[in-house]
């Protein structure tokens, strides 16, 4: 049974718009920060009045946090026509990592990633990434399945994670990196074929 925590990290009312518009996409992204630090940032950004909240966060241990009603929207991407018709799901993940002189792996904010979570894979000129956990994948799949059923969004994750100028026309599950050139978000360690297979596996 899918468990969603709607209270722990609830966004303030000012953090989203009240308008309800039919949804056509689920946008997957990563936090690019360590653990739940992206939530702490949102709670304090613009003196607590930011509208950049994502709809959901999936923790590294698989907990799902709903920040606001998915029927509503925020300025998550900063593209009005996209934000109104999409639901954003952010996975806690540091993304691109860099080897430091003291044999540690850090992200763009110099946050240190545990060595056992570092995976080496060459993509877009970068070599190191924080792995995505099995618990995150399973929870994200289950959440996407629920949202697809509730909002009539096709259960299909797009099969590439790079920029495409026509991505707004796609109906289904996409990545933030499909909207932003040179973005490495989402993490290239995500197994897209496996994710799509899991979306249609009723036993997950």
């Amino acid at each position: 049974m899918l468990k969603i925590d709607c209270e722990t990290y609830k966004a303030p009312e000012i953090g989203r718009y009240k308008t309800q518009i039919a949804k056509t996409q689920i946008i997957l992204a990563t936090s690019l920060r360590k653990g739940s630090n992206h939530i702490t940032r949102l709670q304090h950004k613009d003196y607590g009045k930011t509208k950049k909240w994502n709809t959901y966060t999936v923790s590294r241990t698989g907990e799902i946090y709903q920040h606001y009603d998915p029927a509503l929207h925020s300025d998550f991407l900063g593209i009005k026509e996209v934000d109104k018709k999409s639901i954003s799901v952010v996975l806690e993940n540091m993304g691109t990592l860099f080897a430091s002189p003291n044999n540690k792996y850090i992200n763009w904010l110099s946050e240190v990633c545990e060595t056992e979570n570092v995976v080496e894979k060459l993509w877009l000129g970068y070599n190191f990434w924080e792995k995505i956990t099995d618990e995150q994948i399973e929870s994200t799949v289950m959440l996407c399945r629920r949202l697809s059923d509730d909002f009539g969004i096709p259960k299909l994750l797009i099969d590439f994670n790079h920029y495409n100028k026509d991505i707004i026309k796609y109906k289904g599950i996409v990545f933030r990196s499909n909207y932003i050139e040179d973005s490495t978000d989402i993490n290239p360690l995500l197994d897209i074929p496996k994710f799509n297979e899991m979306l249609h596996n009723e036993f997950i």
Side-chain angles (χ1 to χ4, degrees):
M1 182 178 179
L2 185 63
K3 182 179 179 181
I4 300 176
D5 182 341
C6 300
E7 296 299 327
T8 301
Y9 295 118
K10 186 177 181 179
E13 286 195 17
I14 200 171
R16 80 290 187 279
Y17 298 99
K18 296 180 180 179
T19 310
Q20 297 189 28
I21 296 176
K23 306 295 183 178
T24 59
Q25 289 184 346
I26 298 169
I27 300 178
L28 300 184
T30 49
S31 61
L32 304 179
R33 293 171 183 262
K34 185 164 185 158
S36 62
N37 287 352
H38 70 292
I39 298 176
T40 302
R41 173 179 176 271
L42 287 167
Q43 291 172 329
H44 294 89
K45 184 176 173 61
D46 298 334
Y47 303 99
K49 298 180 180 180
T50 184
K51 281 187 167 63
K52 296 290 287 186
W53 281 87
N54 47 288
T55 320
Y56 293 92
T57 290
V58 181
S59 76
R60 294 191 60 73
T61 51
E63 288 86 7
I64 300 173
Y65 298 102
Q66 178 180 301
H67 304 303
Y68 62 84
D69 185 336
L72 308 179
H73 71 281
S74 68
D75 291 329
F76 175 68
L77 273 186
I79 306 172
K80 286 289 186 185
E81 58 183 328
V82 178
D83 285 325
K84 289 180 179 179
K85 298 181 179 181
S86 63
I87 300 169
S88 49
V89 179
V90 167
L91 283 66
E92 289 182 354
N93 186 277
M94 294 170 69
T96 307
L97 300 172
F98 308 91
S100 66
N102 56 357
N103 295 319
K104 293 185 181 297
Y105 294 91
I106 60 175
N107 66 357
W108 65 290
L109 288 169
S110 296
E111 297 171 316
V112 178
C113 181
E114 289 75 10
T115 304
E116 62 269 21
N117 291 334
V118 178
V119 178
E120 185 172 0
K121 180 174 183 177
L122 179 61
W123 188 62
L124 293 181
Y126 299 101
N127 292 305
F128 303 104
W129 311 85
E130 183 175 34
K131 73 178 180 181
I132 302 171
T133 69
D134 292 339
E135 293 88 351
Q136 279 185 301
I137 294 299
E138 184 171 331
S139 292
T140 303
V141 165
M142 293 174 67
L143 177 59
C144 286
R145 188 187 296 155
R146 165 78 67 82
L147 294 173
S148 293
D149 289 339
D150 289 349
F151 292 92
I153 300 171
K155 293 187 183 75
L156 184 62
L157 177 62
I158 200 162
D159 61 1
F160 60 89
N161 54 0
H162 54 77
Y163 172 76
N164 183 283
K165 63 182 179 64
D166 295 318
I167 196 64
I168 192 173
K169 300 175 184 177
Y170 185 84
K171 291 180 172 58
I173 307 167
V174 302
F175 303 116
R176 178 158 56 185
S177 53
N178 293 139
Y179 280 103
I180 302 174
E181 292 190 70
D182 301 322
S183 172
T184 59
D185 177 21
I186 198 165
N187 192 317
L189 303 179
L190 180 66
D191 187 331
I192 295 175
K194 182 178 179 181
F195 192 100
N196 272 318
E197 181 181 344
M198 292 173 69
L199 275 173
H200 297 279
N201 185 343
E202 61 183 66
F203 299 105
I204 297 176

